[in-house]
Amino acid sequence: DAGITQSPRHKVTETGTPVTLRCHQTENHRYMYWYRQDPGHGLRLIHYSYGVKDTDKGEVSDGYSVSRSKTEDFLLTLESATSSQTSVYFCAIRQGENEQFFGPGTRLTVL
Amino acid sequence: QKEVEQDPGPLSVPEGAIVSLNCTYSNSAFQYFMWYRQYSRKGPELLMYTYSSGNKEDGRFTAQVDKSSKYISLFIRDSQPSDSATYLCAMRNNFGNEKLTFGTGTRLTIIP
């Protein structure tokens, strides 16, 4: 499982509330990613990080921000959650040139 | 039109059969190709990774890439009920772009 944990694993929240999801890795990988997975869309990249305090946008970054203050932790924040952000969120790390390994996921429901 | 197309299935085959899963793509810049397996309510698990064209074999799994046709395949030999899962193809280009483009997945069931 590449030493990746995500928390919380499930969350139900209300529209307009802030939400922070955490990804934690134990193997000192430089690259970390946040994806969302939705039916009919597959996995889509939200943001990624290539080092402490180094982050960049993916293809669906609107409404999301990220932070990485330590190598092992990559946080995804929804500043004001909307129903369209109901999804399953996966964190991933990169090992080698291209191989990405995924965490167990966080199931988020925004009511 | 999506950059990567994958038949969602569902695909049901009897145990022991050879399974063929496929993706087509439109972006000729894609150079790296991956197959992931995802069990229900779990994270994707990397199965196979290939660079450019050709075949790669790992146990019962064979990945094929045909760049001239923009077509990739995953073959599963001697399929087992434990192979029942959703299979995702993914690919990326060679330009320092971190984005992996995924297919939507094919749901496979192996019938005992």
Side-chain angles (χ1 to χ4, degrees):
Chain A
D1 62 357
I4 304 168
T5 57
Q6 293 185 232
S7 60
R9 295 293 313 280
H10 299 87
K11 186 167 181 69
V12 179
T13 191
E14 293 188 348
T15 298
T17 59
V19 176
T20 295
L21 308 182
R22 179 183 184 234
C23 178
H24 179 79
Q25 55 128 338
T26 58
E27 298 180 1
N28 209 36
H29 295 288
R30 180 183 172 195
Y31 283 83
M32 298 182 75
Y33 307 81
W34 276 108
Y35 289 85
R36 61 179 289 175
Q37 186 175 37
D38 304 288
H41 290 279
L43 282 151
R44 292 178 292 173
L45 181 65
I46 304 171
H47 283 280
Y48 69 96
S49 170
Y50 49 97
V52 172
K53 298 187 179 178
D54 292 323
T55 64
D56 207 348
K57 295 179 180 180
E59 65 180 302
V60 289
S61 58
D62 287 349
Y64 301 95
S65 62
V66 290
S67 65
R68 193 167 178 201
S69 58
K70 298 185 290 184
T71 298
E72 57 265 37
D73 288 326
F74 191 31
L75 304 181
L76 177 71
T77 298
L78 291 66
E79 300 290 348
S80 177
T82 67
S83 58
S84 64
Q85 293 175 312
T86 292
S87 187
V88 183
Y89 291 86
F90 288 100
C91 174
I93 58 90
R94 195 179 90 185
Q95 190 168 295
E97 284 293 315
N98 287 289
E99 294 148 286
Q100 292 188 20
F101 296 87
F102 287 80
T106 293
R107 194 168 292 268
L108 176 67
T109 302
V110 183
L111 301 175
Chain B
Q1 185 183 359
K2 294 180 180 177
E3 276 190 296
V4 179
E5 298 281 358
Q6 187 175 9
D7 187 334
L11 179 63
S12 295
V13 300
E15 183 176 355
I18 296 174
V19 176
S20 172
L21 303 165
N22 312 293
C23 288
T24 59
Y25 62 94
S26 57
N27 187 345
S28 58
F30 287 141
Q31 294 279 353
Y32 302 96
F33 304 92
M34 297 126 205
W35 285 96
Y36 285 84
R37 177 175 64 195
Q38 187 175 23
Y39 292 115
S40 181
R41 295 186 172 259
K42 301 289 186 183
E45 170 193 357
L46 181 63
L47 274 180
M48 302 284 287
Y49 161 56
T50 54
Y51 170 68
S52 196
S53 284
N55 294 0
K56 185 174 183 178
E57 188 173 322
D58 184 0
R60 297 185 295 111
F61 298 90
T62 300
Q64 281 187 357
V65 175
D66 182 347
K67 290 191 68 184
S68 61
S69 302
K70 298 190 181 69
Y71 189 87
I72 69 170
S73 301
L74 177 71
F75 297 96
I76 307 174
R77 291 183 298 280
D78 188 24
S79 55
Q80 304 293 312
S82 59
D83 295 327
S84 299
T86 297
Y87 289 79
L88 309 168
C89 62
M91 45 200 84
R92 63 165 281 195
N93 63 37
N94 198 25
F95 302 129
N97 186 337
E98 288 301 315
K99 177 186 166 185
L100 273 183
T101 302
F102 282 84
T104 51
T106 299
R107 188 168 179 180
L108 173 67
T109 300
I110 307 299
I111 305 165

